[in-house]
Amino acid sequence: MTVTEAKITVLKRLTGDVDLPEREHRKKLIIQNTHASNVLYVKLVSTGTVDSTAANYDIQIAGKANIILDNYSGPAKASATDVNYTELG
């Protein structure tokens, strides 16, 4: 049996912290840094500050790179830079 994942949400922001709420039915989360060179800092919580201080981020994504989180339904918060969130479910 083959199961196809469907894209259900795409969120793109150019400035300001970008919050993505928890979604219990999310199967996969793709976080893409769309900036050519700036690093994107991501924290897997919905509160607090996100910046380059080691205590204030969980994931660091280089410019024009992305990360895929399988089976992650929790919240995410990204630093002020170009970011795309794509949820699959």
Side-chain angles (χ1 to χ4, degrees):
M1 175 180 193
T2 302
V3 177
T4 303
E5 295 175 338
K7 180 167 43 171
I8 56 173
T9 303
V10 176
L11 173 67
K12 181 175 182 174
R13 287 279 306 266
L14 298 177
T15 60
D17 286 351
V18 183
D19 297 335
L20 185 71
E22 179 177 352
R23 295 203 205 291
E24 69 177 274
H25 299 293
R26 182 188 306 136
K27 304 283 189 223
K28 186 179 289 189
L29 175 62
I30 302 168
I31 305 171
Q32 179 184 22
N33 182 355
T34 60
H35 195 277
S37 59
N38 288 350
V39 172
L40 174 67
Y41 297 96
V42 178
K43 198 167 189 174
L44 300 177
V45 297
S46 59
T47 61
T49 302
V50 181
D51 61 32
S52 61
T53 306
N56 290 341
Y57 71 90
D58 297 313
I59 301 167
Q60 188 176 330
I61 304 173
K64 292 293 186 187
N66 64 57
I67 187 165
I68 299 171
L69 302 174
D70 288 319
N71 300 312
Y72 181 71
S73 61
K77 186 172 186 172
S79 60
T81 189
D82 297 328
V83 59
N84 279 351
Y85 287 131
T86 303
E87 296 180 310
L88 302 171

